[in-house]
Amino acid sequence: MLHLNEPAPTTSRWRDILEKDFFPLNRRRDIDGLRGLAITLVVLFHAGWLQGGFIGVDIFVVISGYFMGRSALMQHPFQPLRFVCRRLYRLLPALVCMIGLVSAGMLWWVLQSDRADIAINGAYALVYLSNIWASGHVGYFQGQSIAYPFLHTWSLSLEMQFYTIIFLMALLLPLTRHRKLVLSGIFTVSLAYCAWSYVKGDTQAYYNIFDRLWQFSLGTMIWIFPRPRLSPVVANIVYAVALAVIVGAGLFYTLQFACPSYMTVFPCLAVATIIMLPETQVGRLCLVPISPLGVISYSVYLWHWPGIVVANYLFFFQVHGLMMAAVLGIVLVISVLSYVFIERTGLDYEDRVAVAARNRGAALLVGACMTLAAILFYISYVSRVH
């Protein structure tokens, strides 16, 4: 008797996709939970609901240093093209789509002066120099920041600049014994530079890669230096204290504690501590449940600030309360769609295709990025001269 293979139910197929994308088994889900906590802090800060939420960026920076340390310094042999392509496929598709769609939706109806500033900010974001542009034009914590839908990309520019630094390190420092010395030196010099900026009262150092390198380096050094060996009970206690430090900073820090400030050391050390410990019961209870939000944190970060800015433009008043909650709900839906259909699609393509096709695709992504940047530069120029 013939037995026909019946197709698997659609619900099962979608369940497999959701489990693979949002509940991956091949990574530490408590670190994804840390990302989820970080993006929650940032979004609540930008919504005006949490005064210390800016430390979410500090959390992201340390985590980024940790993952880039593995991708660049712990790969033997280091594969430069694979490293570059992975970063491009990870970051560019969603960034280009976000800036392109927001620009197309906003630039034709905003005031001419606003159009010029928004377009130039978007252009700098696409070439990953947004932090340099912002440091000379707008204070991140000032009311005028609400006029710039791409201002939040300053942190993405910092990240790409760090990728460049660690890429060069991976190329130029093939001997492991030198990496520990160089990383320690970068950490020390950057921390001292950040302290000097704090003493000077240089608030624009918030955007500066040199004031942030110690945070990236802290995450990277986790791979270089030995990790503590603690009993499960002690590990859970230390983990809980570190998590409490992060949450407490988000709840009680004020703007005067933003980088450059010695107070940023505490949440950064707490993040490094959590990463250095094995996944604990505390992590499984407190961080793993929000790990799906961490998985889509890049898309949420990309879309949440433009959503808030556009809402303020549309309604001609400072959006808050239930209106802000509605905006963030819409942003979350857009972010999930962005992750599934743009971000995840790009990464899956990079994994699936041959090396030559992967490299061509990366070149096309860079070309699309540069083309859109050139268009926005031109729009900004035309808007200023007329």
Side-chain angles (χ1 to χ4, degrees):
M1 181 177 180
L2 294 177
H3 295 279
L4 298 178
N5 292 325
E6 296 182 359
T10 303
T11 54
S12 177
R13 181 171 64 87
W14 277 106
R15 187 184 302 114
D16 292 342
I17 293 173
L18 289 174
E19 288 179 355
K20 176 187 174 184
D21 285 347
F22 293 97
F23 302 94
L25 299 177
N26 59 343
R27 51 201 280 172
R28 276 186 58 180
R29 292 181 58 202
D30 63 329
I31 298 180
D32 282 333
L34 263 181
R35 283 174 163 163
L37 176 59
I39 192 61
T40 300
L41 292 171
V42 170
V43 171
L44 294 180
F45 172 71
H46 285 156
W49 295 341
L50 194 65
Q51 62 177 353
F54 56 82
I55 67 150
V57 171
D58 302 282
I59 298 172
F60 276 125
V61 169
V62 177
I63 295 174
S64 178
Y66 170 74
F67 280 111
M68 289 309 100
R70 182 186 64 182
S71 298
L73 300 185
M74 303 306 294
Q75 297 295 325
H76 303 289
F78 176 59
Q79 300 176 17
L81 275 179
R82 179 64 195 275
F83 178 85
V84 171
C85 287
R86 191 65 178 175
R87 306 284 77 73
L88 294 178
Y89 278 99
R90 170 80 169 81
L91 299 175
L92 290 191
L95 178 70
V96 171
C97 287
M98 183 274 289
I99 292 180
L101 289 174
V102 173
S103 296
M106 281 193 73
L107 294 182
W108 61 274
W109 56 266
V110 298
L111 296 175
Q112 187 168 308
S113 58
D114 288 345
R115 184 187 308 125
D117 287 338
I118 291 171
I120 197 69
N121 186 193
Y124 272 93
L126 288 163
V127 296
Y128 288 97
L129 295 174
S130 180
N131 61 319
I132 296 174
W133 176 86
S135 66
H137 290 80
V138 58
Y140 193 69
F141 302 121
Q142 297 173 1
Q144 59 192 18
S145 64
I146 198 66
Y148 300 99
F150 309 128
L151 182 60
H152 66 311
T153 59
W154 68 271
S155 64
L156 306 181
S157 297
L158 277 182
E159 193 166 355
M160 186 62 78
Q161 290 156 23
F162 172 69
Y163 291 169
T164 303
I165 292 170
I166 203 166
F167 174 81
L168 293 174
M169 285 181 60
L171 287 178
L172 301 176
L173 298 174
L175 300 178
T176 305
R177 65 177 182 269
H178 295 310
R179 292 172 181 169
K180 184 181 293 187
L181 179 63
V182 171
L183 276 173
S184 300
I186 291 173
F187 174 84
T188 303
V189 171
S190 174
L191 187 60
Y193 187 86
C194 184
W196 177 240
S197 297
Y198 172 72
V199 171
K200 289 192 304 179
D202 182 8
T203 56
Q204 294 304 83
Y206 189 80
Y207 297 115
N208 197 328
I209 182 63
F210 299 110
D211 291 273
R212 297 277 187 175
L213 264 179
W214 69 268
Q215 297 176 333
F216 285 109
S217 301
L218 179 63
T220 303
M221 288 191 297
I222 294 172
W223 293 105
I224 306 299
F225 291 93
R227 303 190 184 191
R229 295 182 178 179
L230 305 176
S231 68
V233 173
V234 175
N236 272 283
I237 293 173
V238 173
Y239 200 107
V241 170
L243 188 57
V245 168
I246 295 171
V247 174
L251 292 174
F252 302 113
Y253 271 21
T254 60
L255 297 184
Q256 65 179 337
F257 296 147
C259 184
S261 167
Y262 67 94
M263 295 296 287
T264 58
V265 171
F266 300 109
C268 289
L269 286 176
V271 172
T273 299
I274 287 175
I275 295 174
M276 291 178 71
L277 293 172
E279 190 170 333
T280 64
Q281 186 66 27
V282 173
R284 286 190 287 271
L285 290 174
C286 299
L287 290 179
V288 170
I290 58 173
S291 62
L293 183 58
V295 171
I296 65 170
S297 58
Y298 176 59
S299 287
V300 175
Y301 189 83
L302 279 180
W303 289 99
H304 84 280
W305 182 246
I308 292 172
V309 172
V310 170
N312 278 275
Y313 268 102
L314 287 175
F315 294 108
F316 301 103
F317 60 82
Q318 191 78 28
V319 175
H320 61 277
L322 290 178
M323 184 70 72
M324 178 64 75
V327 169
L328 296 181
I330 294 170
V331 164
L332 183 59
V333 172
I334 294 172
S335 300
V336 171
L337 295 175
S338 174
Y339 173 77
V340 172
F341 294 107
I342 301 174
E343 185 181 343
R344 190 69 253 169
T345 299
L347 289 174
D348 289 343
Y349 176 82
E350 191 263 347
D351 276 333
R352 187 176 65 249
V353 299
V355 173
R358 180 199 70 190
N359 295 343
R360 285 195 300 271
L364 288 173
L365 281 174
V366 173
C369 206
M370 296 302 102
T371 300
L372 182 55
I375 292 171
L376 292 177
F377 271 120
Y378 177 74
I379 291 173
S380 177
Y381 170 76
V382 171
S383 299
R384 291 191 192 282
V385 297
H386 294 87

